[in-house]
Amino acid sequence: MRYVNGMRGSTVAVVVASAALAVAGCQPGGSGTDTGDGGVTPSGAVSSAASSSTPGAPKPGSSASGPSTPSASPPGSSSPAASAPPSSAPAPGGSAATCSAGSLKATARQAAERPTGTGTGAAVVEFTNVSGRTCVLKGHPTVAGAGNGSPEMNVPLTVKPTGTAAPVEVAPGGKAWVKLTFVQVQGEADGYCVSGSAPVVYPTMVVRLTGSGSHQVALDDGQFAECDDSVTVTAVSALRPS
């Protein structure tokens, strides 16, 4: 009789244990839980309830002996080791691309250092990277006077490049420059040109960089007055010219 009762007790224990396992199997996190945003948390990272009832298992938050598996970072979080490269550095795997015309804003001002005379003398053209990515400007520009401020009435100027051209990386919000030095107008009133030609006045200039489009610029304090339709240009520089 004692043996029969023992068997019955064992049977009941087995049934109760089986029921408990069946209930535990229905709880979330059994084999990896869908987080709702496409990411799945490993099942080993969500079993704290089961581990707390297992003798000898480490409590949540404690470290177990032996090798451990790094837990997955929550969606949207970032690790310091995986931080993005500085904006002024080329993207991994290659150099930054050439700046497109749409990624640049161009402005112009009269240069502080310019030939003596009464015309414009020289102008500094500033290119600002208004995109969200680092890009590259390079080379010497071409220049054309825009008659009546209309690009379709451009008058190409004879360009005399000076200095060595080298690629210049421009970070988002960064700037690069070129300097245009014209043949200066002399004298008062309408002035005159030393060559004997008549001075020319353009409301705007069109400055073009290879691969980076054409940009129409106006001086912030007047018009472009020059002689001989000739201009000396520097290569794109990361240093602001005077």
Side-chain angles (χ1 to χ4, degrees), residues 9 13 45 56 99 103 110 112 130 153 157-158 188 224:
C99 300
S103 68
Q110 190 174 28
V130 295
M153 301 178 68
L157 272 61
T158 300
E188 300 298 330
F224 295 92

Side-chain angles (χ1 to χ4, degrees), residues 104-214:
L104 299 171
K105 176 183 178 181
T107 57
R109 61 176 175 81
Q110 190 174 28
E113 295 184 6
R114 56 188 184 272
T116 302
T118 55
T120 301
V124 173
V125 180
E126 179 180 274
F127 296 95
T128 302
N129 180 358
V130 295
S131 74
R133 296 184 177 181
T134 295
C135 58
V136 172
L137 287 174
K138 56 186 176 182
H140 294 86
T142 61
V143 183
N148 296 321
S150 303
E152 64 273 12
M153 301 178 68
N154 286 357
V155 177
L157 272 61
T158 300
V159 171
K160 299 177 181 178
T162 183
T164 302
V168 175
E169 286 191 350
V170 187
K175 302 176 186 296
W177 297 268
V178 296
K179 185 174 181 178
L180 316 178
T181 302
F182 303 98
V183 177
Q184 183 62 293
V185 178
Q186 305 296 322
E188 300 298 330
D190 292 338
Y192 66 92
C193 298
V194 173
S195 65
S197 64
V200 181
V201 176
Y202 296 105
T204 62
M205 289 280 175
V206 177
V207 181
R208 181 179 182 276
L209 287 170
T210 302
S212 298
S214 298

Side-chain angles (χ1 to χ4, degrees), residues 21 24 47-60 62:
L21 289 174
S47 59
S48 58
S51 64
S52 62
S53 62
T54 304
K59 296 181 180 180
S62 65

